[in-house]
Amino acid sequence: MQSEKSKKAGKAPSTTLLIDFLRTSYDGSSEILLLEEDMNFNSRAASLSDVRQGDGYLLVSTDIAARGIDLPETTHIYNFDLPKTAVDYLHRAGRTGRMPFSDKKYTVTNIIVSEERFVLQRFENELMFNCEELTLEVPC
């Protein structure tokens, strides 16, 4: 998978690769919306409005959604790149199903390469949580 190679080379995979991965994974069952820093205000506002009004959207976002955007009905967060600090991780993961707004279960998935495992372990220790680890072998 090309995005895996990009991550190992130290380059962040493009949003396009992530969207292609999600489209393949979700078999087209959800509309995918973008939220990035370099989008103009109207485009960002439209994406957020669609997410808040509708059901079945996947929101792909950079760290712009980690703070200051309230999406309490969000049930899944996918970290394609780990935040730089444990506090940033907490804020990014905190976008999901917060009480008392929701009693749904929520999931935070971290897509990492083995070299990034120590960073996630540091976050686990600092924030006192445990991740379930699933290993995927990706052919080169």
Side-chain angles (χ1 to χ4, degrees), residues 1 3 10 17 26 31-35 39 44 46 48 54 58 65 72 81 91 108 113 115 119 123 129 133 138-139:
M1 181 168 149
S3 61
L17 289 173
Y26 283 90
E31 186 174 345
I32 298 173
L33 300 172
L34 276 177
L35 187 64
M39 292 173 70
R44 285 195 313 241
L48 285 172
L58 289 175
D81 61 333
H91 282 281
V108 177
V113 293
E115 292 84 1
V119 176
F123 295 166
F129 71 92
E133 187 170 343
V138 180

Side-chain angles (χ1 to χ4, degrees), residues 72-126:
E73 295 300 319
T74 301
T75 58
H76 292 75
I77 297 287
Y78 293 89
N79 286 320
F80 200 59
D81 61 333
L82 290 175
K84 294 188 183 342
T85 69
V87 170
D88 289 341
Y89 182 92
L90 182 64
H91 282 281
R92 200 189 284 185
R95 298 299 98 195
T96 61
R98 292 174 301 198
M99 295 291 193
F101 304 107
S102 176
D103 59 357
K104 294 179 185 176
K105 288 189 175 189
Y106 62 92
T107 303
V108 177
T109 301
N110 300 294
I111 302 169
I112 63 172
V113 293
S114 58
E115 292 84 1
E116 296 172 296
R117 182 65 181 120
F118 78 94
V119 176
L120 190 55
Q121 286 173 330
R122 191 176 72 227
F123 295 166
E124 287 175 310
N125 292 338
E126 192 172 329

